[in-house]
Amino acid sequence: MLTNPVQPLAIVVLISGDGSNLQAIIDNIASGQLSAKLVAVISNRDQAYGLERARRHGIPTQVIAATLHPDRTAYDQALMQCIDSYSPQLIVLAGFMRILTTEFVQHYAGRLINIHPSLLPKHKGLHTHQRALDAGDNEHGATVHFVTPELDSGPIILQMKVPILPNDTAEELQQRVHQAEHQLYPEALRRIATGRVQLRGDIVYVDNSPVTAINRFIELANHAK
Ligand code: GAR
């Protein structure tokens, strides 16, 4: 449990792909807007472009390929061992596209967070942009939440909405959500790093006030469309 974070907050980031959220975090640290240190970036895919982003900034990288492990339990054991060797305070999932075992999630209870491209509890799982369009939603967005064993269901820390415009394609919507994510994740991390966020039971508190379905949104700066 992350009660009194030591600054700078030591973070391990897990990725599977492009790593644009990782980049946003790196940029916020570099500009002094986030007091954190990325102690490692770990990927399940050796081709993940995010690894290149990390290397460019001198952040240690590791690849743990699923093919080298007989099952999910063995994979997650190896992943835990690797993560723990860096002694992070917080583990940040940034497009890490694997289902995690309950054992893994419980090992990091209260210090494992994820970003999901929808306004949870809406549109858990994959293809959220197309599903928001198919549902006729007029807004979409992104959520940062603590990870619990049930997929995309943990206590919500912060959300950001984006509009759905007439004739949007899933790709256009995805791009808009990505822009929102690049503000949302660093802001959520800032709140955690400065000790403002606490998880008590399954309720998130910010500055000692419970996060609710009403107050958990932040606005997108300079409304990029
Ligand atoms: C992000 O949109 C993130 O919300 C999503 O993967 C993308 C990764 O982009 N995560 C999930 O769908 C997890 N359920 P990035 O590699 O450019 O940061």
Side-chain angles (χ1 to χ4, degrees):
M1 182 62 200
L2 197 75
T3 34
N4 291 309
V6 175
Q7 290 206 344
L9 188 72
I11 296 175
V12 165
V13 181
L14 305 189
I15 59 164
S16 298
D18 183 53
S20 69
N21 278 287
L22 166 67
Q23 187 68 55
I25 296 165
I26 290 173
D27 293 346
N28 269 262
I29 294 172
S31 65
Q33 295 176 81
L34 173 61
S35 177
K37 180 176 166 58
L38 301 188
V39 291
V41 170
I42 304 173
S43 174
N44 59 325
R45 292 185 48 239
D46 61 356
Q47 296 301 313
Y49 181 64
L51 290 170
E52 181 54 34
R53 295 180 191 270
R55 284 185 206 114
R56 243 188 262 148
H57 291 270
I59 301 163
T61 60
Q62 298 283 349
V63 175
I64 303 183
T67 45
L68 299 179
H69 301 276
D71 54 30
R72 202 173 282 287
T73 302
Y75 182 92
D76 280 7
Q77 285 293 340
L79 184 56
M80 278 190 260
Q81 238 176 46
C82 182
I83 293 171
D84 290 347
S85 72
Y86 291 97
S87 306
Q89 296 178 79
L90 186 72
I91 297 86
V92 168
L93 306 179
F96 188 63
M97 304 307 276
R98 282 184 60 87
I99 291 175
L100 298 163
T101 55
T102 298
E103 198 185 352
F104 181 95
V105 172
Q106 284 173 349
H107 183 67
Y108 298 110
R111 53 194 196 101
L112 176 62
I113 65 170
N114 181 45
I115 190 160
H116 182 76
S118 81
L119 294 171
L120 291 174
K122 275 189 144 179
H123 309 309
K124 298 174 182 178
L126 298 174
H127 312 299
T128 62
H129 313 293
Q130 188 59 55
R131 283 163 52 213
L133 293 176
D134 292 346
D137 294 352
N138 57 17
E139 60 184 13
H140 192 39
T143 303
V144 176
H145 65 95
F146 284 105
V147 177
T148 52
E150 201 188 329
L151 187 71
D152 298 330
S153 297
I156 291 173
I157 302 168
L158 206 58
Q159 292 185 311
M160 191 180 264
K161 294 177 183 174
V162 303
I164 295 182
L165 305 179
N167 307 319
D168 257 350
T169 63
E171 289 70 31
E172 287 165 334
L173 185 54
Q174 179 174 20
Q175 218 175 8
R176 198 172 305 124
V177 170
H178 247 137
Q179 287 178 5
E181 290 186 328
H182 299 160
Q183 295 180 20
L184 181 68
Y185 224 173
E187 177 57 25
L189 289 172
R190 244 187 308 279
R191 293 180 183 203
I192 293 170
T194 50
R196 295 176 60 197
V197 176
Q198 288 192 328
L199 182 62
R200 300 182 201 155
D202 57 0
I203 298 182
V204 178
Y205 287 75
V206 174
D207 302 331
N208 284 316
S209 297
V211 171
T212 69
I214 308 285
N215 68 9
R216 67 194 182 202
F217 298 95
I218 56 165
E219 295 286 324
L220 182 63
N222 68 41
H223 286 269
K225 289 192 176 166

